[in-house]
């Protein structure tokens, strides 16, 4: 699998450096110096051997101490940008990756003659493979190339409003998301911001909450691109979103205004206080006292989920009922539940737990909307809906 080697031809970039290096090895050698002249020479080197020759003697102890972190960042960047190489890497799942060589490198690889070596490169490749397999590669890459000062989840609140070119609001595309520093935008239902337009990629872009730079937008090398104020942004190049900016995905006519509200933890406390001190007029056990819970594990037993949710929400107030619907045909859990509280204070307290972890998954909690209960055969009880309305054609 020579295509996985650092010397294999592939566009490589260093954080904060706009040069396009011919391979990961070129970029690694360039990282030994901050000299523009030397970096230019390394970028122009005919091959990895020539790049090493130019950078020979430039490595100091400080560079050696961080060389593995630099290599890890370069590998993450390479396999995120190069879909074909990423597929090859993922195809090695379950196998040990060994960087054997016949030139005596016992740090990055294993010497073929003696069989000795630390195989650091092979171990880093396995790590990148694991991140890609578990869909953690984008987050890892952001830490290396975008910023490492991610905003604490409790302080994050995103407010997205969508409109058409004529100014008409797109209500079903506007949303508020709490406690999530990273939002995925795309066509897949798993995305935090779902845009059903056919020109939008399955995973199209990333919104990232940075402590110092504020909200950042990253295009994931999509076919139809991402625009900021009508201008297409470069792939994998984070850009800051300012107040009044308009963001577009693909060729969809939807235009997004995106705001990052900092200090959301304080706002949630104030909202909870208002909700508790000014309770709704809903009576006990009614739909006004019910929340929708999404993202539940489908493979768990219904009773396990039901009892677990009672425990999860116990500090919100008395839990009156937990409904765990099943699929009518398969009988399997649908991954959702409806939790009804005895008092008005239960719902706002439950909403404050949105995005918290339960049984290893992140819950999506929202106020349940009134709707007719499902017909016979739904299993596990019905409950108010979390949404509804007629499906509209993507725009």
């Amino acid at each position: 699998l020579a295509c996985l080697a650092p010397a294999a031809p592939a566009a490589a970039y260093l954080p904060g450096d706009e040069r396009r290096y011919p391979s990961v090895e070129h970029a690694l050698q360039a990282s030994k110096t901050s000299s523009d002249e030397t970096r230019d020479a390394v970028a122009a080197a005919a091959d990895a051997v020539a790049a090493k020759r130019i950078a020979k003697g430039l490595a100091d102890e400080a560079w050696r101490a961080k060389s593995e972190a630099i290599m890890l960042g370069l590998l993450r960047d390479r396999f995120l940008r190069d879909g074909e190489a990423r597929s090859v890497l993922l195809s090695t799942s379950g196998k040990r990756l060994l960087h054997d060589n016949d030139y005596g490198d016992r740090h990055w690889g294993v010497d073929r003659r003696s069989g000795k070596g630390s195989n650091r490169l092979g171990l880093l490749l396995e790590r990148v493979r694991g991140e890609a397999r578990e869909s953690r590669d984008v987050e890892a890459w952001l830490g290396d190339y975008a910023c490492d000062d991610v905003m604490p989840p409790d302080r994050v609140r995103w407010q997205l409003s969508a409109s058409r070119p004529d100014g008409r609001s797109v209500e079903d595309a506007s949303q508020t998301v709490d406690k999530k520093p990273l939002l995925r935008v795309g066509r897949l239902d798993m995305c935090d911001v779902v845009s059903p337009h056919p020109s939008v990629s399955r995973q199209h872009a990333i919104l990232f909450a940075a402590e110092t730079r504020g909200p950042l937008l990253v295009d994931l090398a999509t076919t139809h691109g991402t625009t900021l104020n009508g201008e297409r942004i470069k792939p994998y190049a984070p850009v800051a979103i300012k107040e009044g900016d308009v963001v577009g995905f693909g060729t969809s006519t939807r235009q997004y205004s995106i705001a990052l509200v900092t200090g959301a933890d304080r706002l949630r406390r104030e909202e909870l206080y208002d909700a508790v001190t000014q309770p709704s007029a809903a009576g006990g056990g009614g739909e006004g006292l019910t929340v929708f819970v999404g993202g539940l594990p489908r493979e768990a037993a219904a009773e396990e989920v039901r009892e677990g949710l009672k425990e999860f929400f116990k500090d919100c107030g008395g839990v009156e009922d937990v409904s765990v619907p099943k699929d009518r045909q398969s009988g399997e859990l649908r991954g959702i539940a409806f939790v009804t509280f005895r008092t008005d204070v239960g719902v706002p307290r439950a909403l404050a737990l949105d995005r918290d972890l339960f049984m290893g998954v992140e819950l999506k909690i929202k106020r349940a909307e009134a709707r007719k209960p499902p017909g016979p055969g739904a299993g596990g009880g019905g409950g108010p809906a979390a949404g509804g309305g007629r499906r509209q054609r993507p725009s």
Side-chain angles (χ1 to χ4, degrees):
L1 298 176
C3 65
L4 303 182
Y13 299 86
L14 287 168
D17 186 348
E18 294 186 355
R19 294 177 184 82
R20 181 185 186 278
Y21 293 96
S23 73
V24 167
E25 189 63 56
H26 281 75
L28 180 69
Q29 298 303 317
S31 71
K32 296 177 179 179
T33 178
S34 59
S35 165
D36 286 335
E37 183 179 353
T38 304
R39 286 194 171 192
D40 286 341
V42 171
D47 52 34
V49 174
K52 288 182 179 180
R53 190 178 299 119
I54 294 171
K56 186 176 181 180
L58 295 179
D60 55 19
E61 287 303 316
W63 181 87
R64 292 188 181 92
K66 60 184 180 181
S67 61
E68 289 188 22
I70 295 172
M71 176 65 90
L72 177 60
L74 288 168
L75 293 174
R76 283 169 170 162
D77 185 65
R78 188 260 167 113
F79 291 106
L80 191 63
R81 294 176 187 269
D82 189 340
E84 184 175 345
R86 187 175 187 271
S87 296
V88 173
L89 180 62
L90 287 172
S91 71
T92 66
S93 181
K95 298 178 182 178
R96 184 189 179 199
L97 298 178
L98 187 67
H99 178 54
D100 61 341
N101 61 87
D102 54 11
Y103 45 85
D105 185 347
R106 297 186 181 183
H107 175 73
W108 293 112
V110 174
D111 180 59
R112 191 174 289 134
R113 290 186 291 271
S114 66
K116 297 181 179 180
S118 299
N119 192 38
R120 300 308 302 170
L121 176 61
L123 294 174
L124 291 178
L125 283 168
E126 291 176 10
R127 178 173 174 178
V128 172
R129 180 181 65 191
E131 292 172 348
R133 186 176 62 247
E134 297 170 7
S135 299
R136 294 184 290 110
D137 47 346
V138 174
E139 291 92 331
W141 173 84
L142 281 167
D144 294 326
Y145 280 77
C147 61
D148 55 5
D149 60 342
V150 56
M151 190 174 291
D154 281 349
R155 294 182 50 211
V156 174
R157 169 172 289 180
W158 295 94
Q159 292 180 333
L160 295 87
S161 58
S163 62
R164 304 192 187 281
D166 60 6
R168 288 183 298 126
S169 176
V170 184
E171 294 296 338
D172 63 347
S174 301
Q175 62 188 107
T176 298
V177 181
D178 276 345
K179 296 184 180 181
K180 199 151 190 180
L182 185 149
L183 299 184
R184 294 177 182 267
V185 182
R187 210 169 62 243
L188 292 177
D189 289 339
M190 62 161 283
C191 292
D192 304 286
V193 181
V194 178
S195 179
H197 195 274
S199 70
V200 175
S201 299
R202 291 180 298 173
Q203 294 195 59
H204 193 98
I206 290 292
L207 292 168
F208 187 71
E211 191 75 69
T212 54
R213 297 178 63 188
L216 300 177
L217 174 66
V218 182
D219 177 79
L220 300 179
T222 54
T223 302
H224 297 283
T226 300
T227 59
L228 181 65
N229 298 323
E231 297 292 329
R232 185 164 178 167
I233 65 175
K234 295 179 180 179
Y236 298 111
V239 295
I241 302 174
K242 302 184 294 296
E243 185 177 356
D245 284 347
V246 176
V247 177
F249 304 108
T251 60
S252 171
T253 58
R254 291 182 180 180
Q255 300 175 336
Y256 287 85
S257 295
I258 299 170
L260 176 62
V261 181
T262 58
D265 50 346
R266 175 181 53 80
L267 289 175
R268 279 192 292 271
R269 286 196 297 270
E270 293 175 355
E271 291 167 353
L272 177 59
Y273 176 80
D274 290 342
V276 172
T277 56
Q278 301 176 24
S280 69
E287 292 172 342
L289 303 181
T290 302
V291 295
F292 166 86
V293 182
L296 292 168
R298 297 171 183 265
E299 64 278 4
E303 189 61 26
E304 181 184 8
V305 173
R306 186 176 293 108
E307 293 303 315
L309 288 175
K310 288 181 180 179
E311 178 67 20
F312 182 81
F313 288 110
K314 68 177 183 180
D315 293 331
C316 297
V319 175
E320 180 73 23
D321 180 62
V322 178
S323 173
V324 185
K326 296 180 180 179
D327 184 86
R328 296 184 183 185
Q329 297 180 341
S330 68
E332 297 178 351
L333 297 186
R334 293 169 54 193
I336 63 173
F338 297 93
V339 180
T340 302
F341 297 93
R342 295 193 182 98
T343 64
D344 296 288
V345 299
V347 170
R349 289 177 178 174
L351 295 177
L353 299 177
D354 182 47
R355 305 288 178 176
D356 279 6
L357 292 179
F358 171 79
M359 297 178 71
V361 298
E362 189 178 85
L363 295 183
K364 295 181 180 179
I365 305 170
K366 60 181 71 176
R367 192 181 297 272
E369 298 178 5
R371 186 178 176 184
K372 292 181 179 180
R390 184 174 56 193
R391 182 180 296 273
Q392 297 179 350
R393 179 176 297 176
S395 58

